[in-house]
Amino acid sequence: MSLKSFPKPSELPVPAGAEGWEKIYPYYLVFQDKLKEQEDAKFWFCDSQHWPTVYKPFETIGGEFAVKCLGQYNARHLMIPNANGIEFRVHLGYLYMSPIPVPEDQIAARVPLFEQRVGHYFQNWDQLLKQWHVKVKGTIDEMETISFPKLPDMVPMEDILSGKGKDGSEKLLESYDRLIQLAYQNWQYHFEFLNLGYIAYLDFFNFCKQVFPNIPDQSIATMVQGVDMELFRPDDELKQLAKLAVELQLQGHFGNTDDVDATLGAIAAAPGGERWMAQYEGAKDPWFNFTVGNGFYGHDKYWNEHQEIPLGYIADYIRRVDEGQEIMRPVEALIAERDRIIEEYRELLEGENQALFDAKRGLAATAYPYVENHNFYIEHWTMGVFWRKIRELSRMMHAEGFWTRPDDLLYLGRNEVRDALFDLVTGWGVGAKPIGPDFWPEEIERRRGIVDALKTARPAPALNTPPESITEPFTRMLWGITTEQVQQWLGAGEAVEGGGLRGMAASPGVVEGLARVVTDADQLSEVQQGEILVATVTAPSWGPIFGKIKATVTDIGGMMSHAAIVCREYGLPAVTGTGSASTTIKTGQRLRVDGTKGTVQILDALVPEAGEPELLAAGPGAHSHSHSHV
Amino acid sequence: MHSNEYVQFFDGGVEPKLENLGGKGASLVTMTAAGMPVPPGFVVTTAQFDAFMEEAGITRHIHQLLAGLDPEDMGQVDKVSAAIREDICSRPVPQVLRELTITAYEALMSRFDAPVPVAVRSSATAEDLPDASFAGQQDTYLWLDGVKAVTEHIRQCWASLFTSRAIIYRLKNNIPNEGLSMAVVVQKMVNARVSGVAITMDPTNGDRSKITIDSSYGVGEMVVSGQVTPDNIMLDKVTLAVISEHLGDKHAELVPDAAAGRLVEREVDAERRGRRSLTDAELSAVAQMAKRAEKHYKCPQDIEWALDTDLPDGENLLLLQSRPETVHSSKPATHTAPQPVVSGGYFSGFSAGTLKPSV
């Protein structure tokens, strides 16, 4: 039997206008003609969970740092016996990944190394994690000190008097390099505990699968998941602010939250407003270092720079409190249900297995909360500061005439930015005009055209021939790339009754409702009470939306994707990793979402007209299977 | 509905005692109290049997007939057995006791929109008869309509204490005839819309974190005997999430024809075949009941269940039988026969055409 395959990279059509796209990314990020044979022999899956939109050249920094640092902890720090890191390439603007196994004959030798290294961390967990917080916060603090002021007209007199002997351009170059290094540093720290969290989880996961064959992944996740976690803290702060506003009878001042200054000014002047403002300011630092995206794109909006976003959420919570709704998450009920589940599984075991269950679950419950909580410190806080500084630099160079729009720096690769900076300081230093203003605007327009053209196509879910079974645990758990999922993408999976989509049963429950397709955080304001959110991927900072919706359906993501975690926390059904929900489902269609089985039915699907293709075919869809002549 | 010394309802809230209710009757009361919904009914207690015998004044005569019987002399045993049973069945039941039974029967019927058929079964105390399942099969009278048929068959159950086999068993085991007694169970006949079995484990590998359910239309006989391919669903025991489900063909169903007093087989139409025979809520209810049975008996159970047409949604799921699961867990050398704890096998008592019209 010949295996069904995904398209080869070379078989994917290049959207019109995107010709030459390879050259806007570094050479090492794109598939190479000379390596075609080796690269086509590997299975690559698209990580549209973290990178749902086409990269502008500068934005590859997040993917590069994240996936490189993930890999180093498998392959160089912890010496995980059966898994090295993950190779990655950018193809047609999207990130594709290929996990690297450890050769069979090397696995045994890594076991003692692995045990020694992992053992140290697990034995000193609390102290090392405390140290981690200090390191990460130190990085962020240093990042905050960096700035990119305009170069002066002349060296200040005091530098002459002190005999400094430098013109200050070195500071600009150093600041840029240091900003990049600090981002790299926190991405290394990011994975110091993340892989360990997954290891502890997977150890328990595998044990459960052994003693309870076919136990739903959802049950295992529930048994180790924290219920009250830092990831939900920003949202909780908004809820508290809403409740306080109701208590102080300040509701009337939230009529036009888009005008931040007027809103805050009116509250401050109102009776009781001082108290509310004090709580608001307290919440901002650090909890408003929170993006509506996922921290990986330069266009992400952060709450502290766009306070109309949190104020809008607060206004919505106020309305719901006034309507008598309960806005706080059902934390106690969730804890009680989790404890019941743990106890019932535990009671099914006897003797040694029960002791192993306790030990492994205990370790996972200690280590796993990091997986959920780190996100605030890196993706939100670190990257929030990082992008703010990058925008500051971009605006400074925009003012120097390097580009026509303030944020156009994103169309340069990060090493090209260094060249442009040297160009700037050279021109400035010698008293001439830099070359950039005559070079970059045209080149950026060309690249903008390419990026826009690439955006017209969705990525293929995967490339080349999948292995017969997918066992690599990280891939399976974080990205939801399972053998069954891959078969489903290939259209070979079990059909869903009545037509529809199949994905991961990420959070239990069954509901029916109207779909709201959201492909960009800016569309979140369109979401109406009681709708079903359908998205490429969700970000945890969409928190306030989860209080409004009935269920979530995503294109990509596993049991431990953000959508899955948040929906379990909010007690909403979720089906993740459907592959194509956001392109198959239309806003307004009536859906039945079964988060226990992992199915989504479209109840009022349009009947395709004769001769037209089936509208509801599951799987990657039309974007990836047509062949082209590249 | 009130229980008294002579009649005890399953849900009457009286502490079950084996010597009053017999094994079967005590089990039904215990299960009802433990939230395992058996078909509703009542027990005619051993006290009523004792009072009947006392009133009839035949105990001494029976003892005389039985004294000195040779268990090997089958002809003589049969003769004595027939005489005693004839004697019991021909004696009138004292009016007071008869009134109590009639009142209980009418109270049971008042739970339904229209009168429903009942089953009448003997419920012996453990040492009086060879074994419970044997007795249960022998002395089960199904599809009885009306109070006359019910009281008639209660006396037949009493008389079954003196079958040839029972007499020989007691003789061989030196069980004295003094103090012999018999309770009788009167229970609603199940009018199954959907029925099946549930095992509180994965029988293929002994995984105790699963519940396996077979489900098909009508009475469960066709599922038990393998005449239809039922829907097969595996659930996680803790969260009740569906792990796997396979829709069976379910081409036929056995449904009671109350007028004819028997089960008739009929074809299931394509629409009903094509969907699962249980809704999500029903599936979950079956699984929860199986869990309760396992918790109650403290070992994996193999239950028979049915959804009863005569009962309202939410109260229509009935537990017909629960027994220790033995397919996976028992080794051939130590094989133990399934021990019926409820009814001696509703399904095994049913098959098309074997039921006789009620009196």
Side-chain angles (χ1 to χ4, degrees):
Chain A
M1 192 187 93
S2 68
L3 283 168
K4 276 187 154 187
S5 289
F6 293 96
K8 291 186 171 63
S10 56
E11 291 170 347
L12 289 180
V14 175
E19 296 80 6
W21 66 272
E22 300 91 340
K23 299 291 181 199
I24 72 172
Y25 302 113
Y27 71 91
Y28 57 85
L29 275 182
V30 297
F31 290 118
Q32 299 291 312
D33 288 344
K34 281 189 179 171
L35 295 173
K36 191 169 189 305
E37 204 177 318
Q38 292 100 299
E39 288 174 336
D40 281 356
K42 291 174 187 168
F43 175 67
W44 304 83
F45 66 88
C46 181
D47 182 359
S48 50
Q49 178 180 343
H50 296 94
W51 292 281
T53 314
V54 169
Y55 278 126
K56 296 185 187 79
F58 189 86
E59 291 167 337
T60 65
I61 188 171
E64 291 182 60
F65 286 4
V67 190
K68 183 266 172 187
C69 296
L70 183 159
Q72 79 188 50
Y73 274 91
N74 283 6
R76 305 292 171 189
H77 291 249
L78 302 174
M79 307 308 289
I80 292 181
N82 65 347
N84 275 320
I86 297 175
E87 272 193 285
F88 54 98
R89 301 282 189 277
V90 173
H91 191 65
L92 294 171
Y94 296 99
L95 190 68
Y96 291 86
M97 300 184 171
S98 186
I100 308 162
V102 174
E104 279 292 329
D105 60 349
Q106 293 173 22
I107 291 177
R110 284 169 71 149
V111 170
L113 299 169
F114 167 75
E115 285 175 348
Q116 190 184 11
R117 288 155 187 246
V118 169
H120 175 75
Y121 268 96
F122 285 144
Q123 279 154 28
N124 299 283
W125 187 266
D126 290 342
Q127 184 215 328
L128 288 167
L129 187 58
K130 206 171 152 193
Q131 192 178 310
W132 181 90
H133 277 95
V134 173
K135 292 186 297 194
V136 167
K137 184 66 182 10
T139 307
I140 294 170
D141 288 346
E142 190 184 340
M143 230 182 224
E144 281 285 11
T145 66
I146 290 174
S147 66
F148 298 103
K150 181 178 161 49
L151 292 162
D153 288 342
M154 58 181 151
V155 170
M157 189 60 195
E158 57 263 37
D159 290 355
I160 304 293
L161 296 174
S162 68
K164 186 177 180 186
K166 291 186 282 190
D167 67 1
S169 64
E170 77 289 343
K171 183 71 191 161
L172 175 59
L173 297 173
E174 278 168 20
S175 290
Y176 178 70
D177 288 347
R178 190 66 192 150
L179 181 61
I180 300 294
Q181 285 310 311
L182 289 168
Y184 187 53
Q185 184 166 297
N186 262 8
W187 276 104
Q188 295 210 47
Y189 294 153
H190 174 276
F191 290 96
E192 183 183 0
F193 286 83
L194 191 68
N195 300 33
L196 291 166
Y198 280 136
I199 287 167
Y201 180 83
L202 286 164
D203 183 50
F204 180 61
F205 184 94
N206 290 333
F207 174 78
C208 286
K209 289 282 178 186
Q210 199 183 326
V211 291
F212 308 122
N214 299 317
I215 181 175
D217 293 4
Q218 212 170 76
S219 292
I220 306 174
T222 305
M223 284 193 279
V224 300
Q225 196 173 313
V227 168
D228 216 8
M229 45 186 137
E230 280 173 310
L231 186 59
F232 292 99
R233 185 69 186 271
D235 189 24
D236 286 345
E237 293 287 335
L238 301 188
K239 290 174 176 171
Q240 298 294 358
L241 284 163
K243 288 177 111 173
L244 184 63
V246 172
E247 185 193 322
L248 298 170
Q249 299 188 315
L250 295 168
Q251 297 100 310
H253 303 293
F254 288 83
N256 180 20
T257 47
D258 282 347
D259 190 339
V260 174
D261 291 341
T263 301
L264 293 178
I267 294 168
E274 206 177 320
R275 188 175 150 207
W276 192 90
M277 284 306 295
Q279 187 164 325
Y280 182 79
E281 291 303 323
K284 268 169 73 179
D285 185 18
W287 304 111
F288 281 19
N289 287 287
F290 209 56
T291 170
V292 298
N294 61 9
F296 287 117
Y297 290 96
H299 60 246
D300 273 10
K301 287 179 181 155
Y302 286 79
W303 286 7
N304 51 5
E305 291 167 87
H306 295 271
Q307 293 180 42
E308 69 277 8
I309 296 169
L311 285 172
Y313 287 145
I314 293 170
D316 197 45
Y317 281 136
I318 288 173
R319 177 186 58 75
R320 286 163 53 191
V321 170
D322 279 340
E323 285 172 6
Q325 290 183 34
E326 176 54 65
I327 58 171
M328 303 311 283
R329 287 169 293 119
V331 171
E332 274 178 31
L334 288 165
I335 291 174
E337 174 65 358
R338 183 195 61 184
D339 292 348
R340 177 193 73 83
I341 288 172
I342 293 168
E343 194 49 34
E344 284 199 22
Y345 280 114
R346 185 180 181 277
E347 280 174 4
L348 293 168
L349 299 171
E350 288 166 357
E352 194 191 345
N353 271 346
Q354 198 174 66
L356 278 172
F357 177 90
D358 288 343
K360 288 174 186 295
R361 199 201 66 83
L363 188 63
T366 302
Y368 195 70
Y370 175 83
V371 174
E372 293 155 339
N373 290 331
H374 78 276
N375 194 272
F376 175 76
Y377 295 94
I378 310 294
E379 280 87 339
H380 292 277
W381 198 353
T382 303
M383 294 309 284
V385 177
F386 175 78
W387 289 118
R388 178 152 41 88
K389 298 296 174 183
I390 289 296
R391 277 193 291 274
E392 183 187 333
L393 174 62
S394 182
R395 278 164 201 161
M396 187 271 280
M397 295 184 77
H398 170 248
E400 297 289 347
F402 271 67
W403 30 79
T404 53
R405 300 187 198 181
D407 291 341
D408 274 352
L409 174 144
L410 298 176
Y411 287 93
L412 277 66
R414 71 177 177 279
N415 292 311
E416 291 177 326
V417 171
R418 216 174 180 286
D419 277 352
L421 280 170
F422 200 76
D423 175 16
L424 171 69
V425 302
T426 301
W428 172 81
V430 304
K433 203 171 159 274
I435 307 301
D438 291 296
F439 175 82
W440 284 114
E442 196 179 319
E443 174 61 11
I444 285 169
E445 277 323 301
R446 190 185 74 83
R447 293 182 183 191
R448 200 192 314 276
I450 288 173
V451 169
D452 288 347
L454 290 175
K455 279 184 186 169
T456 63
R458 295 291 309 145
L463 301 170
N464 304 327
T465 306
E468 278 193 40
S469 65
I470 292 168
T471 52
E472 200 282 313
F474 290 77
T475 309
R476 193 185 155 97
M477 184 174 153
L478 180 55
W479 283 283
I481 312 291
T482 62
T483 308
E484 304 78 47
Q485 186 62 77
V486 167
Q487 289 306 312
Q488 172 65 22
W489 282 344
L490 285 168
E494 203 180 328
V496 177
E497 194 185 336
L501 302 162
R502 187 177 289 277
M504 279 240 166
S507 180
V510 184
V511 293
E512 287 183 13
L514 299 179
R516 172 68 61 179
V517 181
V518 171
T519 52
D520 187 288
D522 289 343
Q523 295 172 284
L524 284 176
S525 57
E526 297 165 12
V527 176
Q528 303 296 311
Q529 189 81 31
E531 288 186 327
I532 292 172
L533 177 66
V534 179
T536 319
V537 63
T538 70
S541 53
W542 297 11
I545 287 299
F546 287 86
K548 259 183 163 178
I549 59 173
K550 269 188 181 167
T552 301
V553 179
T554 69
D555 289 356
I556 195 130
M559 282 309 296
M560 287 300 156
S561 64
H562 299 138
I565 292 172
V566 179
C567 280
R568 285 195 296 271
E569 178 79 10
Y570 279 80
L572 301 173
V575 178
T576 59
T578 60
S580 59
S582 72
T583 47
T584 307
I585 295 166
K586 307 282 172 262
T587 290
Q589 281 182 323
R590 192 161 184 83
L591 306 180
R592 180 182 163 87
V593 178
D594 188 333
T596 312
K597 288 184 199 156
T599 59
V600 182
Q601 282 170 271
I602 303 170
L603 300 175
D604 54 359
L606 301 170
V607 178
E609 288 180 27
E612 278 193 285
E614 171 61 53
L615 286 172
L616 299 177
H623 305 298
S624 54
H625 284 306
S626 51
H627 293 247
S628 68
H629 335 277
V630 174
Chain B
M1 285 191 251
H2 299 295
S3 297
N4 54 54
E5 191 189 349
Y6 302 109
V7 173
Q8 189 166 332
F9 280 94
F10 299 167
D11 54 359
V14 177
E15 181 78 14
K17 291 203 178 98
L18 187 70
E19 64 269 30
N20 294 345
L21 306 180
K24 194 178 297 165
S27 165
L28 290 165
V29 173
T30 305
M31 291 180 73
T32 303
M36 291 180 279
V38 297
F42 59 87
V43 184
V44 175
T45 66
T46 54
Q48 186 165 162
F49 174 83
D50 297 344
F52 163 75
M53 293 296 277
E54 177 74 28
E55 180 73 20
I58 52 177
T59 308
R60 177 186 291 268
H61 179 60
I62 289 170
H63 287 178
Q64 281 167 358
L65 286 172
L66 293 171
L69 260 183
D70 176 3
E72 305 303 329
D73 184 351
M74 282 303 295
Q76 186 59 24
V77 170
D78 282 347
K79 212 173 128 190
V80 167
S81 166
I84 295 173
R85 286 186 286 137
E86 170 64 30
D87 203 6
I88 290 173
C89 288
S90 64
R91 302 272 167 172
V93 176
Q95 193 56 28
V96 181
L97 298 178
R98 201 177 143 76
E99 287 296 332
L100 287 172
T101 305
I102 291 169
T103 306
Y105 174 77
E106 282 168 357
L108 179 62
M109 289 303 112
S110 73
R111 297 189 187 188
F112 310 100
D113 294 340
V116 294
V118 296
V120 172
R121 310 155 185 284
S122 59
S123 176
T125 56
E127 65 273 20
D128 292 345
L129 286 172
D131 66 72
S133 62
F134 174 80
Q137 284 181 25
Q138 286 301 300
D139 308 312
T140 293
Y141 304 98
L142 305 170
W143 300 102
L144 303 180
D145 278 314
V147 72
K148 184 165 180 291
V150 170
T151 52
E152 199 73 26
H153 286 91
I154 289 172
R155 265 196 308 199
Q156 286 185 32
C157 286
W158 288 340
S160 70
L161 261 180
F162 300 99
T163 59
S164 298
R165 187 179 158 163
I167 291 167
I168 292 166
Y169 171 81
R170 284 193 294 270
L171 283 171
K172 286 188 172 171
N173 291 281
N174 291 320
I175 297 169
N177 291 311
E178 285 76 20
L180 274 184
S181 195
M182 174 70 97
V184 180
V185 166
V186 178
Q187 194 173 18
K188 180 196 181 294
M189 283 303 299
V190 175
N191 187 6
R193 172 167 62 80
V194 179
S195 59
V197 299
I199 300 170
T200 61
M201 60 158 56
D202 178 349
T204 63
N205 60 10
D207 173 10
R208 290 195 51 194
S209 70
K210 305 295 182 293
I211 294 173
T212 313
I213 293 172
D214 276 357
S215 164
S216 194
Y217 295 113
V219 170
E221 169 68 15
M222 297 187 90
V223 174
V224 174
S225 62
Q227 294 173 68
V228 290
T229 307
D231 299 330
N232 173 261
I233 306 114
M234 188 182 288
L235 301 97
D236 183 88
K237 194 187 284 178
V238 175
T239 63
L240 304 188
V242 173
I243 307 278
S244 66
E245 62 180 17
H246 301 285
L247 291 191
D249 187 42
K250 314 184 285 288
H251 70 282
E253 63 183 335
L254 279 178
V255 288
D257 181 342
R262 63 187 189 91
L263 295 169
V264 289
E265 183 177 329
R266 68 180 184 199
E267 206 171 307
V268 175
D269 66 48
E271 188 274 326
R272 290 170 74 222
R273 280 195 213 183
R275 62 177 155 87
R276 200 175 67 195
S277 48
L278 289 172
T279 65
D280 287 353
E282 290 164 350
L283 183 67
S284 174
V286 171
Q288 273 165 347
M289 188 169 72
K291 266 178 90 164
R292 277 200 299 274
E294 180 183 66
K295 196 168 180 192
H296 181 74
Y297 292 111
K298 300 184 176 67
C299 70
Q301 296 290 301
D302 177 348
I303 70 165
E304 293 177 12
W305 55 268
L307 289 169
D308 193 307
T309 311
D310 302 327
L311 292 162
D313 275 352
E315 295 170 32
N316 56 353
L317 175 62
L318 299 177
L319 179 60
L320 308 185
Q321 175 162 289
S322 187
R323 56 187 163 193
E325 197 281 341
T326 51
V327 177
H328 180 82
S329 47
S330 75
K331 297 185 183 76
T334 59
H335 182 83
T336 51
Q339 296 162 9
V341 292
V342 179
S343 67
Y346 256 82
F347 293 163
S348 52
F350 278 6
S351 62
T354 62
L355 293 170
K356 297 197 174 66
S358 58
V359 177

